[in-house]
Amino acid sequence: MKAAIIGGGVIGGGWAARFLLNGWDVAVFDPDPEAERKISEVLMNARRALPGLYDTALPPEGRLTYHSDLAQSVAGADWVQESVPERLELKHKVLADLMQYAPDEAIIGSSTSGFKPSELNEKGARAIVAHPFNPVYLLPLIELVGDADTCARAADILSGIGMFPLKVRKEIDAHIADRFLEAVWREALWLVKDGIANTEEIDEAIRMGFGLRWAQMGLFETYRVAGGEAGMKHFMAQFGPCLSWPWTKLMDVPEFTDELVDLIADQSDAQSGHMSIRELERLRDDNLVSILRALKARGPGSGAGRVVRDHEADLWHAMTDTTPLRTVARDVPIDWTDYNGHMNEGRYGQVFSDAADRVMAHVGADADYIGSGLSFFTAETNIKYLDECHAGEAVYVDSTVTLGEGKKLRLWHEMRRKADDSLLATCDQFLLHVDLTTRKSCPPRADVEARVETLATLHARGTT
Ligand SMILES: NC(=O)C1=CN([C@@H]2O[C@H](COP(=O)(O)OP(=O)(O)OC[C@H]3O[C@@H](n4cnc5c(N)ncnc54)[C@H](O)[C@@H]3O)[C@@H](O)[C@H]2O)C=CC1
Ligand SMILES: C[N+](C)(C)CC(=O)CC(=O)[O-]
């Protein structure tokens, strides 16, 4: 599959990374001589962050090419994403070129933050709005606006690269999310202009409080809980009158004078000027990866964690009875690094625990089986740490069943670095089958016991 990225700035670079790291070939067209350098820097950050979001490996990276000719860049593309600056006449010109050169069947998406499809297409183009959020390679949300069939096709493709397509029912200026962002931005500008708060205080007001709530529950679910046991109706009865109080009176926009721009830029420099933009991006990405991984860890996944979890399930390969079993293939996430600058010992245990979970699922001791009240408990592990590994490195685990007799299951795991197949750690793990009600050991269900024995016999014969 091929994506053509027209305009490779902040957002085009993020799109390029999202497609590329999900195995698509990417062709970039951008007249800026600096575009290649900027995109390669965005890509470096994306390679550092995105693979560590998942507990399984992304597909091999696609091929990235740069073009000085738009027609060449879109040849054979399945998806063309326009990400040029937010000026309608420029978007019209670029879309007219795309109508001429893009394949008829290619989806043409526009990253526009605010224009409606009817405005984008008023000169005869057929683009849909596919509005992403920065950083495009990490944040799942995409607002889709426009032709229903094209949006449905687009939604399938975007889900396949780990995104969350949200179809906007009716076109409207600034779609859904940017209407909120503009409202918050407007209020913040007033607070600075009126000398109530500076940029840092406003950021603290967001990140120490409601920003954390929004990341996992959004607005309405949060306010439902805020209504106490009586829920949403009580919340609305209590806070409804505030809508006519001065709290919400500031509907107009402060004038963007040079004085206001300088005031905000100076405060922002004082707040964050000690870090470069790339450093701030890495800090943002590290935090986002940690938050998304935490949201993924809960049950079926909470908020955006659900999207990460679903994409991870799509990425995981179906296992067959090989010797050994490939039970883990993943990148080391950023937040697994400890004060010694390498993957923390506890995370080796995590990797081997994941390997054992995969063996269990493979022999039929899956979520349904556990739901029926049967499972395996680990009784003993012996891990040998043979070499260091670092954030961003691809690793894999091969596992063999060394004993499968009744309630006893013994596994031998070898964890290796993908780049050179060198051995990083081994783990000898002994598990006992248990009844989750009595918490006592018991024989597995007959089919699971048979699967374990088959694998033990197969693995005793050696490498296939
Ligand atoms: N920056 C943001 O936070 C977000 C921006 N967007 C939208 O994405 C679009 C792009 O915004 P940014 O990436 O922020 O802008 P940007 O200024 O970082 O990048 C725009 C790029 O387009 C290139 N360009 C200009 N004319 C071109 C042409 N004729 N053909 C090909 N490339 C051309 C420029 O050289 C530049 O590299 C806008 O529509 C914006 O509203 C959407 C979501 C978030
Ligand atoms: C500021 N903005 C309107 C360009 C923001 C967006 O469109 C989405 C985002 O990433 O915040």
Side-chain angles (χ1 to χ4, degrees):
M1 302 288 271
K2 173 179 167 179
I5 304 299
I6 311 303
V10 173
I11 290 305
W15 273 110
R18 170 68 78 165
F19 277 114
L20 207 63
L21 294 182
N22 276 283
W24 283 52
D25 290 335
V26 169
V28 177
F29 171 75
D30 189 318
D32 178 1
E34 287 288 292
E36 190 167 339
R37 177 191 61 77
K38 289 186 195 163
I39 288 185
S40 63
E41 287 180 19
V42 171
L43 261 175
M44 259 166 29
N45 279 356
R47 287 192 187 108
R48 185 175 164 275
L50 183 68
L53 200 53
Y54 303 104
D55 292 319
T56 189
L58 287 166
E61 215 175 285
R63 188 167 154 262
L64 175 64
T65 51
Y66 294 93
H67 302 266
S68 53
D69 178 43
L70 179 136
Q72 211 186 52
S73 70
V74 299
D78 302 281
W79 186 292
V80 179
Q81 185 69 23
E82 170 278 302
S83 302
V84 302
E86 190 77 353
R87 297 201 310 271
L88 192 56
E89 80 291 352
L90 176 61
K91 299 224 183 246
H92 281 159
K93 185 185 160 305
V94 169
L95 289 172
D97 288 346
L98 293 178
M99 288 308 290
Q100 197 177 345
Y101 298 114
D104 289 344
E105 60 286 1
I107 288 176
I108 301 180
S110 169
S111 298
T112 179
S113 297
F115 295 123
K116 303 187 284 267
S118 59
E119 290 170 302
L120 294 173
N121 294 334
E122 61 198 5
K123 309 267 188 219
R126 58 173 177 85
I128 57 165
V129 169
H131 177 231
F133 291 78
N134 190 33
V136 184
Y137 52 83
L138 278 182
L139 295 190
L141 181 62
I142 288 288
E143 292 175 312
L144 291 179
V145 202
D147 175 69
D149 291 343
T150 314
C151 285
R153 274 175 60 213
D156 277 349
I157 291 177
L158 294 166
S159 302
I161 57 169
M163 303 190 93
F164 181 79
L166 180 67
K167 176 77 174 81
V168 181
R169 293 174 199 208
K170 286 185 186 171
E171 65 166 30
I172 181 174
D173 297 300
H175 329 311
I176 299 175
D178 274 358
R179 297 191 67 108
F180 291 118
L181 292 182
E182 287 303 298
V184 173
W185 175 231
R186 197 165 56 227
E187 295 299 325
L189 292 177
W190 277 120
L191 289 169
V192 177
K193 182 179 163 55
D194 292 347
I196 311 291
N198 62 25
T199 57
E200 180 153 17
E201 287 160 344
I202 290 172
D203 285 348
E204 300 291 23
I206 295 172
R207 63 191 167 207
M208 296 295 166
F210 67 85
L212 289 169
R213 293 195 310 226
W214 282 2
Q216 38 86 46
M217 277 196 165
L219 180 65
F220 284 102
E221 213 165 44
T222 298
Y223 279 172
R224 181 186 176 81
V225 178
E229 287 176 11
M232 199 65 184
K233 279 204 166 156
H234 175 67
F235 178 82
M236 292 176 80
Q238 183 173 193
F239 296 106
C242 313
L243 293 172
S244 55
W245 295 353
W247 290 21
T248 345
K249 81 171 168 51
L250 295 169
M251 303 300 282
D252 51 343
V253 184
E255 201 189 334
F256 240 32
T257 57
D258 288 349
E259 200 189 351
L260 180 59
V261 171
D262 285 345
L263 179 66
I264 289 177
D266 288 349
Q267 288 185 4
S268 176
D269 286 349
Q271 180 187 349
S272 318
H274 58 289
M275 289 174 89
S276 72
I277 294 296
R278 294 287 174 234
E279 283 170 333
L280 281 168
E281 283 174 350
R282 283 192 284 277
L283 176 65
R284 173 202 66 191
D285 289 359
D286 290 358
N287 291 335
L288 283 173
V289 168
S290 299
I291 292 167
L292 286 166
R293 285 181 61 77
L295 290 173
K296 183 185 71 164
R298 299 202 56 79
S302 195
R306 200 165 22 95
V307 183
V308 179
R309 184 172 272 259
D310 289 349
H311 190 41
E312 193 170 89
D314 289 344
L315 291 169
W316 179 245
H317 62 270
M319 276 167 56
T320 51
D321 280 0
T322 51
T323 307
L325 296 167
R326 176 63 49 91
T327 47
V328 170
R330 61 163 310 135
D331 281 55
V332 176
I334 298 158
D335 58 352
W336 283 17
T337 299
D338 65 15
Y339 48 79
N340 288 327
H342 56 200
M343 184 166 110
N344 179 260
E345 61 186 292
R347 302 301 185 174
Y348 286 72
Q350 166 86 60
V351 170
F352 292 128
S353 165
D354 291 347
D357 286 351
R358 292 261 162 71
V359 175
M360 279 175 57
H362 188 56
V363 297
D366 53 13
D368 288 345
Y369 185 83
I370 294 165
S372 79
L374 297 171
S375 187
F376 285 91
F377 282 3
T378 297
E380 191 178 334
T381 49
N382 182 358
I383 296 178
K384 289 214 166 81
Y385 302 90
L386 303 172
D387 202 351
E388 297 182 294
C389 64
H390 301 99
E393 277 192 312
V395 297
Y396 65 88
V397 175
D398 283 341
S399 307
T400 47
V401 177
T402 50
L403 175 72
E405 265 176 28
K407 54 191 177 186
K408 294 181 196 163
L409 172 63
R410 190 165 191 155
L411 303 174
W412 173 255
H413 308 289
E414 294 186 351
M415 176 178 159
R416 292 176 187 274
R417 194 188 329 272
K418 188 174 172 219
D420 57 4
D421 296 315
S422 59
L423 193 57
L424 297 169
T426 60
C427 175
D428 187 10
Q429 181 177 20
F430 181 67
L431 302 100
L432 275 176
H433 190 270
V434 289
D435 180 324
L436 288 173
T437 315
T438 62
R439 320 300 284 181
K440 299 260 188 295
S441 64
C442 70
R445 205 172 63 196
D447 57 315
V448 170
E449 189 169 351
R451 291 280 298 121
V452 170
E453 281 171 10
T454 305
L455 273 179
T457 309
L458 183 77
H459 289 173
R461 276 194 228 129
T463 315
T464 48

